[in-house]
Amino acid sequence: MERLLASYRAIPSGAVVRLAKKTSNLFRARAATTAPGLDVSGLGQVIAVDPRARTADVAGMTTYEDLVAATLPYGLAPLVVPQLKTITLGGAVTGLGIESTSFRNGLPHESVLEMDILTGAGEIVTATPTGEHADLFHGFPNSYGTLGYSVRLKIELEAVKPYVALRHVRFHDLRTLETELERIVTERSYQGEQVDYLDGVVFSATESYLTLGRQTDEPGPVSDYTGMDIYYRSLQHDDGVRTDRLTIADYLWRWDTDWFWCSRAFGTQNPKIRRFWPKSLRRSSFYWKLVALDRKYHVDDRRRARKGLAPQERVVQDIEVPVHRTADFAEWFLREIPIEPIWLCPLRLRETGAADGSRPWPLYPLEPRHTYVNFGFWSAVPTVPGRPEGAANRAIEKIVSEFDGHKSLYSDAYYDEAEFAQLYGGQTYTALKNRYDPDQRLLNLYSKAVQRK
């Protein structure tokens, strides 16, 4: 704590406070700065796991890889484990995270019991759902470090079994997938069998899959997708249902080895290359470093220019729309944006004893008792001469708003200030900013997410 506070005080009063962090899972550019960063090097450990209470106290910069490694020996896991190993708990709470338990457990911030937060005012406060700083507790999710940084979080855990039995269900049209997805979320079962995990992949308008996971302690053979086999390709089949089994650890990190399917951009899925690519470097954190180098030196744009091709627009986004708009959005996207596959993940806010069924999360206002479907797409499309910067991303933002959806802010955004305020907290955010960062030591959310400061 003292090191953190000393680091904060060492940052010049006129400089914006930023994290001194080597890695990031953000995909939006930031303005350069010469000011020293906030030293968070002491915030990367699991403080304690209480297997009886099923809780964990965790420092804010702890990665989910380390958190899961600490909880699985007790047969426990966080209620939601985002897909990539180097996502931090604090990052998933302040920036939102999602995974295949979100249809029953909501989002990562909903399993937080209390947080110690270093505010923009340079104070460490403890925020709980009903205490003095309840406004910060509820306003922290989706604030992206513009109100403060989590120092410690106490979170709920859930019991897990050693294996996950998978069923990959093939659909030939998106309307049928939408109907079945909504039913599974409601009933939490499929053909009489319990569903503990639920996500999906759209390869095309006529080829899509829902993957249904069931926890089990039944012994038996398991697959391994950290070697030559590639997980997302294992989903594909002609018709009906394909089954599979993974250990719980391999299931939680099933997407990390190939960064979903994005490793193909580096040739890693080519068997001739994969065989010699070190297994320790088949992980999202290493691919992200390659992307950072490309962004710094414009390697791909230069390569395309030599071939007479236009530069590309990066389209790296997660959005969600109400479940009844699933097929509408997928059909629009496949028609307008030349990117595939697309990841699907349903979510619902966790229900509480509150009259409206859930806690308020004003900076990312989802409706309680409503099912949404998250779409993840991570690639690039060719730019078109005469179109404005970010044309594809702007089109996505427009259709998502038309469908009463939301967009995560970890990547490029183009909203005007009024629409942004309407979507992401408005006056509630302004009141929080004035209370917890009165001297504006931290960037505001619009400046950070849209203006790339």
Side-chain angles (χ1 to χ4, degrees):
M1 293 286 192
E2 287 305 316
R3 183 198 303 172
L4 180 68
L5 290 171
S7 174
Y8 181 91
R9 297 183 189 114
I11 299 172
S13 59
V16 172
V17 176
R18 299 180 187 270
L19 295 181
K21 187 183 174 192
K22 294 180 179 180
T23 61
S24 172
N25 284 285
L26 295 179
F27 278 85
R28 45 179 156 76
R30 298 193 307 173
T33 180
T34 57
L38 186 65
D39 183 0
V40 291
S41 58
L43 301 181
Q45 72 281 346
V46 178
I47 300 165
V49 176
D50 185 337
R52 192 167 295 219
R54 293 185 180 177
T55 62
D57 279 272
V58 186
M61 299 299 296
T62 305
T63 66
Y64 273 93
E65 181 176 23
D66 291 340
L67 176 54
V68 165
T71 62
L72 280 187
Y74 296 102
L76 300 170
L79 271 62
V80 181
V81 179
Q83 314 90 332
L84 306 180
K85 292 178 176 180
T86 55
I87 293 174
T88 64
L89 177 59
V93 170
T94 194
L96 303 187
I98 190 171
E99 238 294 336
S100 60
T101 55
S102 289
F103 77 105
R104 58 184 178 85
N105 288 339
L107 301 173
H109 59 268
E110 297 191 87
S111 59
V112 175
L113 301 171
E114 65 180 34
M115 293 180 278
D116 292 340
I117 297 171
L118 173 64
T119 69
E123 302 172 338
I124 295 178
V125 303
T126 299
T128 61
T130 57
E132 177 186 359
H133 302 291
D135 57 345
L136 181 60
F137 181 91
H138 293 110
F140 194 72
N142 208 48
S143 63
Y144 279 90
T146 64
L147 300 175
Y149 297 105
S150 56
V151 177
R152 177 194 64 89
L153 305 97
K154 185 173 185 177
I155 63 168
E156 298 175 67
L157 304 172
E158 69 175 4
V160 293
K161 294 180 180 178
Y163 306 102
V164 179
L166 300 177
R167 289 175 291 170
H168 306 304
V169 184
R170 166 78 188 257
F171 295 89
H172 296 275
D173 72 272
L174 293 163
R175 300 284 159 182
T176 304
L177 178 143
E178 176 187 297
T179 299
E180 199 61 35
L181 174 64
E182 187 169 17
R183 191 192 64 76
I184 294 170
V185 169
T186 301
E187 299 180 5
R188 298 191 182 182
S189 66
Y190 178 75
Q191 295 183 347
E193 188 173 306
Q194 179 174 316
V195 175
D196 299 311
Y197 304 97
L198 176 61
D199 67 348
V201 175
V202 175
F203 288 89
S204 71
T206 58
E207 183 188 6
S208 57
Y209 301 87
L210 292 179
T211 293
L212 323 175
R214 175 179 58 85
Q215 293 188 28
T216 178
D217 51 14
E218 301 166 7
V222 293
S223 298
D224 178 5
Y225 296 105
T226 63
M228 293 298 292
D229 293 332
I230 297 167
Y231 174 72
Y232 84 99
R233 290 300 183 192
S234 74
L235 278 57
Q236 294 184 274
H237 57 277
D238 291 335
D239 207 359
V241 179
R242 172 177 285 178
T243 61
D244 201 353
R245 281 170 51 93
L246 295 171
T247 67
I248 180 63
D250 282 349
Y251 175 78
L252 293 176
W253 304 128
R254 67 201 182 283
W255 293 119
D256 191 84
T257 299
D258 285 287
W259 209 8
F260 284 83
W261 33 81
C262 298
S263 67
R264 64 187 178 183
F266 312 111
T268 317
Q269 295 182 25
N270 182 327
K272 294 179 181 178
I273 296 175
R274 194 177 185 87
R275 184 170 290 108
F276 297 102
W277 193 292
K279 198 171 183 179
S280 62
L281 299 183
R282 285 186 218 143
R283 51 182 287 141
S284 61
S285 56
F286 183 71
Y287 304 137
W288 205 101
K289 291 177 182 177
L290 297 179
V291 168
L293 287 172
D294 177 72
R295 186 187 303 172
K296 182 176 181 179
Y297 297 108
H298 307 289
V299 177
D300 191 56
D301 283 347
R302 291 178 179 179
R303 178 187 62 82
R304 292 177 61 83
R306 286 196 298 269
K307 296 181 178 180
L309 300 174
Q312 291 193 306
E313 175 188 351
R314 188 177 58 206
V315 182
V316 179
Q317 303 286 356
D318 275 78
I319 67 92
E320 54 243 353
V321 295
V323 65
H324 67 273
R325 289 292 202 173
T326 300
D328 290 338
F329 180 81
E331 289 169 354
W332 176 90
F333 189 89
L334 291 170
R335 185 173 64 249
E336 301 293 335
I337 309 293
I339 291 175
E340 56 78 27
I342 313 165
W343 185 58
L344 304 181
C345 188
L347 69 143
R348 288 173 66 95
L349 292 179
R350 290 181 72 191
E351 294 195 12
T352 69
D356 68 351
S358 80
R359 294 172 177 164
W361 307 107
L363 270 62
Y364 205 76
L366 301 173
E367 290 291 330
R369 301 192 178 102
H370 283 60
T371 300
Y372 295 83
V373 176
N374 178 280
F375 287 78
F377 35 91
W378 314 289
S379 189
V381 298
T383 57
V384 178
R387 290 189 180 181
E389 178 193 0
N393 285 283
R394 292 172 192 268
I396 291 166
E397 289 179 355
K398 184 175 184 293
I399 199 71
V400 168
S401 293
E402 288 179 7
F403 288 169
D404 296 322
H406 302 78
K407 186 178 99 165
S408 296
L409 297 175
Y410 67 83
S411 192
D412 296 325
Y414 295 88
Y415 298 107
D416 64 46
E417 202 157 358
E419 184 178 8
F420 186 88
Q422 182 181 7
L423 292 170
Y424 300 106
Q427 291 302 312
T428 300
Y429 176 75
T430 300
L432 288 167
K433 190 72 170 167
N434 290 337
R435 180 180 182 188
Y436 292 103
D437 186 21
D439 296 325
Q440 305 297 302
R441 295 298 310 278
L442 306 170
L443 288 170
N444 70 49
L445 190 56
Y446 187 75
S447 295
K448 193 168 190 176
V450 180
Q451 297 177 323
R452 306 176 192 176
K453 293 184 178 179

